Amino acid sequence: MNRSRNAEHRSTLQLQLEALDSARKLAAARLDDARLEKLQGVLDRAGSRRSLSADHTVVGVFGPTGSGKSSLINALSGTSLARVAARRPTTSSPLALVWGPAGSAELLDWLSVEERHDMPVASALSGGAGLILLDLPDFDSTASAHRLVVERMAGQVDVLLWVVDPQKYADAALHQGFLAPLASHEAVTLVALNQSDRLDQTGLAEVTASLSGILAAEGLGRVSVFPVSARTGAGLGALTAAVRTIVTRKGVFNERLAADVAAAAAELVEFTGLGDLALPGASARAGLAEGLTDAAGVGAVVDAVVASHRRDAHAATGWPVTRWLGALRPDPLRRLNLRRRDLDPILLRTSLPTGEPAQRAKVDRALRTYADTAAGSAVEPWRSSIRNAARSSVPGLMDGLDQAVAGTDLATGRRSWWWPVAGALQWIAFAALVAGAAWLGLLALGGFLQLQLPQTPRVEGFPVPTLLIVAGAGAGILLAVLSAVLARFGAMLRGRRARRRLSASVTQVAVDTVVEPVAVEISRYNAFRAAVAAATRQS
């Protein structure tokens, strides 16, 4: 049963470690380096401890100066190996009492403990299991090196046994510096109230209750307080039994590592926001595309398409005499370099102005609006990272938009089916006008020369040459008006079609350069939230 439980716990721990490592990688370049290094430190310590002896449980004994920490160790172990003296502080370097030395050397090397003493395996304290009991320097020592050792050991040992005395059990240096930050480690924490023989029963009960209340306020409500006396031996049996229970439980170091991972992940919760983010909807993407469409000069291109179509229509259907005048007007599309199809699409560029302050402002506004919508309930630094993802392509965005416009098929070379018909009718009307004018000219010349000419045919009393002139001119004017109306309508349709195609091209640029990078960052943020949640979940 224990083996099954330990295997399950190891599996849970492995999932926690993988989740914390994923959170660290996902937060790279988002969170500050110091925080990322701290996460890496937790992962490194966990990896190191898991590679070392699983048959030993390391119990670190911590305490302030004068708490009788070393005396308590001697009383628990039945030896006088721990250094006890009147000079303060006494313990200057860690000392290890080892029950079951086989396999402990590498673990003690990792702990940087040089002084080691082998103890008989048969012991009430060890319960026959591997136990390493560490006597550590006083955490309130005036020697800074001592405190550094204590801080390092507090992050490495499997079980933390804190020894306090009735005078300094509420010391802020102990509670604020060590116990409160390790609130998530209550499953591997023990507290011994030493020198209990100095108090009467009432005083001892009051101090014990006060200490328990302080621990509960710090999140250590399930940590038991053991009143003991290293001098008289009072309470040692209960403390010995508690240590033995933890040691024989096996795999306690996994519980310690799980608590370390959960505590490290808990510091990341403030960066997870209120919930997962969804990619902005169609309206937000449409707003982005509209803003970029405006900045890309699509409106000017559509106007040029309309004007060019009307110019071409006039050249094909206008009055033959005045067509050449229209041909002298510059083609609006050629002025924008949008009628060149002899180049590689990658090389095509328009003559639209790019990089103008007004254009940059439109792009910035469109990107900012989309990024703010995408960021939703995200908190820093993720809001900034999403904005940066939206703006990651800004340096080449305008060029991409210009290329998209230049590469869009505007169907500018297509002629309407009715243009040749209208053009032919115009030539017929013009021919009638010319024939009538020539006929009248001949009649005038014959009259001037006093030649006898045939009678001019008449229709309803009107000379045929005059009718030809009137009919030719009238038909030409009517055809020109009708052609202009049809050309205007066709240009409007051509402009709408061009706008749709240009908008589609610009939208694709927006998707490739803005929407997709933002989607990647949102996916990264959601994965970070999931990883943090998994890392904080303990079995």
Side-chain angles (χ1 to χ4, degrees), residues 120-313:
V121 176
S123 167
L125 185 64
S126 69
L131 168 64
I132 299 176
L133 194 64
L134 295 183
D135 184 17
L136 301 171
D138 302 327
F139 66 76
D140 59 350
S141 170
T142 56
S144 60
H146 292 182
R147 183 176 178 86
L148 291 176
V149 170
V150 173
E151 290 177 347
R152 178 173 62 82
M153 287 296 184
Q156 289 182 291
V157 299
D158 303 327
V159 179
L160 304 102
L161 172 55
W162 298 93
V163 182
V164 298
D165 61 80
Q167 286 73 38
K168 295 193 293 185
Y169 71 88
D171 184 23
L174 167 65
H175 291 275
Q176 296 178 10
F178 293 96
L179 288 174
L182 293 171
S184 61
H185 295 64
E186 58 182 357
V188 292
T189 300
L190 299 171
V191 176
L193 177 62
N194 196 18
Q195 303 174 11
S196 62
D197 56 303
R198 295 184 179 183
L199 302 172
D200 57 25
Q201 291 297 322
T202 301
L204 180 59
E206 291 177 352
V207 171
T208 303
S210 175
L211 178 55
S212 297
I214 294 173
L215 292 173
E218 293 168 343
L220 295 166
R222 291 186 294 174
V223 173
S224 300
V225 176
F226 297 89
V228 298
S229 172
R231 187 176 66 85
T232 67
L236 290 181
L239 180 57
T240 297
V243 173
R244 184 175 61 247
T245 299
I246 290 179
V247 172
T248 56
R249 198 161 70 211
K250 287 297 184 183
V252 173
F253 71 91
N254 283 321
E255 298 179 32
R256 166 61 200 262
L257 296 177
D260 287 344
V261 173
E267 296 184 7
L268 302 177
V269 171
E270 62 178 295
F271 305 110
T272 58
L274 299 177
D276 284 351
L277 297 180
L279 195 63
S283 60
R285 292 195 296 273
L288 171 65
E290 182 179 353
L292 296 183
T293 296
D294 192 17
V298 167
V301 174
V302 171
D303 291 342
V305 168
V306 171
S308 180
H309 182 83
R310 294 179 63 183
R311 173 185 176 277
D312 292 346

Side-chain angles (χ1 to χ4, degrees), residues 247-422:
V247 172
T248 56
R249 198 161 70 211
K250 287 297 184 183
V252 173
F253 71 91
N254 283 321
E255 298 179 32
R256 166 61 200 262
L257 296 177
D260 287 344
V261 173
E267 296 184 7
L268 302 177
V269 171
E270 62 178 295
F271 305 110
T272 58
L274 299 177
D276 284 351
L277 297 180
L279 195 63
S283 60
R285 292 195 296 273
L288 171 65
E290 182 179 353
L292 296 183
T293 296
D294 192 17
V298 167
V301 174
V302 171
D303 291 342
V305 168
V306 171
S308 180
H309 182 83
R310 294 179 63 183
R311 173 185 176 277
D312 292 346
H314 177 73
T317 64
W319 195 39
V321 176
T322 59
R323 287 182 187 180
W324 66 274
L325 294 176
L328 294 178
R329 292 185 300 170
D331 185 351
L333 285 175
R334 291 191 183 279
R335 293 178 62 183
L336 297 179
N337 199 34
L338 288 175
R339 268 198 162 171
R340 297 187 63 184
R341 290 291 177 261
D342 55 336
L343 296 177
D344 189 312
I346 298 178
L347 302 177
L348 283 174
R349 292 296 184 274
T350 73
S351 297
L352 290 165
T354 58
E356 297 293 329
Q359 288 178 302
R360 291 197 299 268
K362 292 175 182 177
V363 170
D364 288 343
R365 183 166 57 252
L367 296 181
R368 184 172 60 254
T369 301
Y370 184 78
D372 288 343
T373 301
S377 61
V379 296
E380 292 294 348
W382 293 101
R383 291 190 69 84
S384 293
S385 69
I386 291 173
R387 291 194 194 101
N388 292 338
R391 294 182 54 81
S392 60
S393 60
V394 165
L397 181 57
M398 291 307 304
D399 186 64
L401 291 173
D402 188 72
Q403 185 176 344
V405 170
T408 300
D409 182 11
L410 301 176
T412 54
R414 299 178 185 175
R415 299 167 61 86
S416 295
W417 64 268
W418 59 270
W419 288 3
V421 176

Side-chain angles (χ1 to χ4, degrees), residues 460-504:
E460 297 295 333
F462 295 98
V464 171
T466 303
L467 290 176
L468 289 175
I469 293 175
V470 173
I477 294 173
L478 180 60
L479 284 171
V481 172
L482 290 175
S483 296
V485 172
L486 291 175
R488 183 183 295 273
F489 181 73
M492 180 179 64
L493 295 179
R494 190 70 61 89
R496 290 178 179 176
R497 189 182 307 118
R499 181 177 292 278
R500 285 196 299 270
R501 294 183 177 184
L502 289 168
S503 296

Side-chain angles (χ1 to χ4, degrees), residues 31-80:
L31 298 182
D32 59 274
D33 292 341
R35 192 178 296 274
L36 295 174
E37 290 174 3
K38 185 176 180 180
L39 295 177
Q40 185 62 61
V42 172
L43 294 168
D44 290 343
R45 286 196 300 273
S48 298
R49 180 61 184 94
R50 297 177 80 203
S51 68
L52 299 170
S53 175
D55 296 324
H56 288 84
T57 299
V58 182
V59 179
V61 184
F62 304 83
T65 304
S67 63
K69 170 171 50 66
S70 297
S71 298
L72 181 60
I73 292 175
N74 288 336
L76 290 171
S77 63
T79 69
S80 59

